[in-house]
Structure formats: C-alpha cells, structure tokens
Amino acid sequence: MAGLPPTAEVDVVEEEDHEPPEVQLLRAVGVDIMAPAAKQRTPLPLDLNAMRRVLPRLRGRVDSARDRQGTTALGIAAYLGRTEAMQLLLENGANIDAENVDGTSPLSMACFGKSAAAAAVLLVYGGYDAEDPHEALADAHAVGATEVVALFEAWEDGSRNELLARAQAMHEASMPALEALAEERRRLEAAKNAAHAAASSSSSGSLESSI
C-alpha cells in the first residue's frame, strides 16, 4: 500500500480481516454497504489489489457479495463501468446473469449506468445470441444510453465495434482462468455425484440386510 509504512499496512489488513469478505469485496469494487445510505450513492475508488486479496476467500460464492438491493459485485461494477473489476469477478466465478431483488441483471445495470464498455464485456463473456439482450436493450433506450444502444446494434449485426474488440481481447486473456474455473466446477460436480452414488449404494445395502 503506497505511502504507508509497513506497520500501517499490516494494521489496515488486520482491520479488514475483521469484516466479512463480502463487505470487503463490495468496498473494493466501489460501494460501502456499511456506510449510511446517502453516502453509498458516491462510489469509492476502485481497489483492484484489495479485490485480489479477498476473492480467494470467496471462491465459489462470489455472488454472495450483494448490496442492499441484492445487486451482486458484478452488477455494481457493471453500473460503474469498471471493466477491470468485472474481469476479475468473472474469472473468479461471478454469475453473469445474477439478478437483484428487482430482477435487474448485470447487463441491465450496465445500461442504467450508461456504460457501453461494461455492456461489451458482458455481451462477450456471456456469449449471448443476438436476440438475447432485448430486455437490456429496452433499458438502454429507456435511459437514453445511446452509446449502449449502438453497441447492441453492432453486436446484433456483427459490425466492427472498438469496445467489442477490446472486450474480446480481454476475454482471450481470461481464458486460462475461465478454463481452470470450469475444470474446478467439473471436479466438484463429479465428487458430488460420486458421494451421492455412494450414499445411495450404502442405503440400498442397509435396506437389503434388514429384509
């Protein structure tokens, strides 16, 4: 942490460790859910280093970090247009379609925030079909997000768009992390199925022995 002596940095880390990792992650993305509601309207600076520290503690449950409206860290980052934060969250298993209590997806949050760059990241990482984002497109029209509307049009007709090109390059850079995440999920699913099969077999054996 630049500008602080080593002892001060240790003190800050120890103070953070007393808070739930979900609170730390949201603060690093830009929202302090522990602050009064009025102060939450002012975004905090993005802290990618803090995100990298806390994300391993939320492996497999990144989407448990939500604000008071149930918006995930990914949805908040999308609204704020913080594409680097979005990349980190997606590489660590954030659900690209996770909705808040109002049924608003991260893609719609990007529209409400009028961030075409964030919308581009979500379109590319989500691999949406051209017709899929119709609800988010309606949201973009509703708030007058003309750059986002133009992005959706480029996505639909396959025309060249600089933001989509940047998002595709980001996605390529994320592929090793995304592939490792997919492999981890396959291993967990296989272990779960094996445990279920073992439990079923044990239950059947016990039933037969009692007959």
Side-chain angles (χ1 to χ4, degrees):
M1 191 173 297
L4 292 178
T7 54
E9 182 172 351
V10 170
D11 290 342
V12 170
V13 173
E14 288 180 350
E15 181 179 344
E16 288 177 348
D17 285 343
H18 291 299
E19 293 182 324
E22 291 85 355
V23 173
Q24 295 179 42
L25 179 60
L26 291 177
R27 186 179 293 124
V29 170
V31 173
D32 186 357
I33 61 170
M34 305 303 289
K39 289 188 176 181
Q40 292 183 35
R41 299 191 186 100
T42 303
L44 299 172
L46 173 62
D47 190 340
L48 292 173
N49 288 332
M51 288 185 66
R52 293 187 182 100
R53 284 198 303 269
V54 74
L55 278 168
R57 297 168 57 193
L58 286 168
R59 194 72 173 176
R61 55 188 182 95
V62 175
D63 294 319
S64 64
R66 295 174 180 252
D67 68 10
R68 294 177 183 178
Q69 285 71 47
T71 304
T72 62
L74 179 62
I76 293 167
Y79 179 80
L80 297 175
R82 295 179 170 177
T83 55
E84 290 178 289
M86 295 169 66
Q87 181 181 22
L88 272 177
L89 291 164
L90 290 164
E91 289 176 354
N92 281 273
N95 181 354
I96 203 164
D97 295 314
E99 297 178 345
N100 64 16
V101 295
D102 297 319
T104 305
S105 69
L107 187 55
S108 283
M109 291 297 293
C111 295
F112 291 135
K114 298 184 179 181
S115 176
V121 169
L122 293 167
L123 287 172
V124 170
Y125 276 73
Y128 294 104
D129 292 332
E131 298 300 319
D132 284 345
H134 61 279
E135 185 174 338
L137 176 57
D139 293 330
H141 277 294
V143 299
T146 55
E147 190 178 0
V148 179
V149 171
L151 177 86
F152 281 130
E153 291 172 351
W155 179 257
E156 184 175 354
D157 62 27
S159 60
R160 170 74 181 174
N161 180 280
E162 183 61 31
L163 291 176
L164 288 172
R166 291 178 190 172
Q168 286 159 355
M170 180 183 287
H171 185 253
E172 289 176 10
S174 292
M175 283 308 298
L178 295 174
E179 289 171 356
L181 183 66
E183 178 60 28
E184 180 182 349
R185 285 172 171 167
R186 284 192 291 269
R187 286 198 303 268
L188 290 173
E189 185 64 23
K192 180 181 176 181
N193 291 339
H196 180 72
S200 297
S201 176
S202 175
S203 177
S204 298
S206 299
L207 181 61
E208 289 175 1
S209 63
S210 64
I211 296 175

